[in-house]
Amino acid sequence: MRILILGAGKMGSFFTDLLSFDHEVAVYDIEPRRLRFLYNTQRFTSLDEVDAFAPEFVINAVSLKYTLQVFDELLPHLGRDCVLSDISSVKTGFREYYEQTGFRYVSSHPMFGPTFANLGDLSRENAIIISEGDYMGRIFFRDLYSRLGLNVKELTFAQHDETMAYSLSIPFVSTFVFSAVMKHQDTPGTTFKRHMKIARGVLSEDDTLLREILFNPHTKQKVESIRTELKELLHIIEERDEEAMTAYLTRIRANIES
């Protein structure tokens, strides 16, 4: 199959390496330097080059800010039988966009990245495939992710964004708060060092990705829940209420054990 990958960033390059030995792959990126180290693939810096390639499948791996814009620019260069796809971490408005294009489409989200995941062993990582869209497109990604050993789950577009607000926004915001109040420690404890490792990893991510996660429409509610919990914990600390602290610890331990 002829597959066009949009964007030669971290995930675009990963998918290129993954697919280029089983398919005819081309990568498009407006920045030629990003294409330097890609091999076994065609490299495009102009959408006009897409015409002759005639892709059958497109994987859009550019940042969320530009995902739909790049699709708009690409569509005139595609045949009507081409399948569109994205791997975006937030999918608000994507279903409506895809359906107005008239193209077949599939959407997925590999729940791993180069910051913490071991790309050589993804057996403990997850991927989400959106249940709405082209059946054969979903089969393509399910087969691909299964070969990587990923745990695959299907969700609707709406369920995906709500899940991301819970599983990504809360950890990201918690890390931001830790980083905001953090001071250098000459003799850090084990727990502090572990938190520092997480914080450095999260904050090494591209600003665009962090914005994508935090600007998810469902994130505000999750951040408000953090504020509510902090207010309760602060009250317990101020009152030095041992009974309330015990009850609080019992409740939150149950959360992480479930």
Side-chain angles (χ1 to χ4, degrees), residues 2 4 7 12 22 35 43 46 48 74 89 101-102 110 138 151 166 172 199 209 212 240 247:
R2 292 186 304 279
L4 174 66
D22 297 316
L35 300 169
R43 294 173 286 185
S46 169
D48 291 335
L74 175 68
S89 53
T101 67
R138 299 202 306 272
N151 174 48
Y166 182 82
F172 278 26
L209 173 63
E212 288 176 10
R240 302 180 65 85

Side-chain angles (χ1 to χ4, degrees), residues 8 10 51 112 136 141 147 149 164 184 205 221 235 251:
K10 295 173 182 178
D51 297 340
F112 57 86
M136 292 307 298
F141 276 110
R147 283 196 285 116
M164 290 310 99
H184 175 74
E205 292 285 8
Q221 179 184 358
H235 176 73
R251 175 169 67 83

Side-chain angles (χ1 to χ4, degrees), residues 51-194:
D51 297 340
F53 183 66
E56 301 168 273
F57 201 97
V58 173
I59 299 176
N60 194 334
V62 305
S63 61
L64 177 64
K65 181 178 179 180
Y66 300 107
T67 300
L68 301 186
Q69 175 186 325
V70 172
F71 268 145
D72 280 339
E73 296 169 356
L74 175 68
L75 293 185
H77 300 271
L78 301 179
R80 298 303 300 181
D81 291 333
C82 185
V83 178
L84 306 179
S85 75
D86 73 272
I87 56 170
S88 296
S89 53
V90 179
K91 301 186 182 293
T92 303
F94 275 41
R95 179 183 178 183
E96 294 78 6
Y97 176 84
Y98 278 132
E99 293 190 348
Q100 62 88 24
T101 67
F103 282 81
R104 291 184 295 153
Y105 67 87
V106 59
S107 186
S108 75
H109 183 188
M111 294 287 292
F112 57 86
T115 301
F116 294 117
N118 175 6
L119 297 182
D121 180 11
L122 297 170
S123 59
R124 295 185 179 181
E125 305 295 341
N126 303 297
I128 294 172
I129 297 174
I130 302 303
S131 57
E132 300 149 289
D134 184 70
Y135 173 76
M136 292 307 298
R138 299 202 306 272
I139 293 297
F140 171 84
F141 276 110
R142 180 169 286 278
D143 288 347
L144 180 63
Y145 292 152
S146 295
R147 283 196 285 116
L148 293 172
L150 294 166
N151 174 48
V152 181
K153 185 176 181 61
E154 289 202 9
L155 299 173
T156 66
F157 280 108
Q159 289 170 335
H160 169 274
D161 278 7
E162 186 171 358
T163 299
M164 290 310 99
Y166 182 82
S167 64
L168 292 180
S169 296
I170 289 178
F172 278 26
V173 169
S174 299
T175 299
F176 288 2
V177 171
F178 168 80
S179 302
V181 301
M182 193 276 299
K183 293 184 178 180
H184 175 74
Q185 298 291 315
D186 292 324
T187 55
T190 301
T191 302
F192 182 90
K193 288 189 289 186
R194 288 177 177 174

Side-chain angles (χ1 to χ4, degrees), residues 30-57:
I30 59 173
E31 178 51 69
R33 287 181 298 177
R34 290 187 176 182
L35 300 169
R36 286 179 300 171
F37 303 113
L38 299 178
Y39 58 93
N40 202 36
T41 184
Q42 297 187 52
R43 294 173 286 185
F44 300 156
T45 56
S46 169
L47 288 175
D48 291 335
E49 298 173 273
V50 173
D51 297 340
F53 183 66
E56 301 168 273
F57 201 97

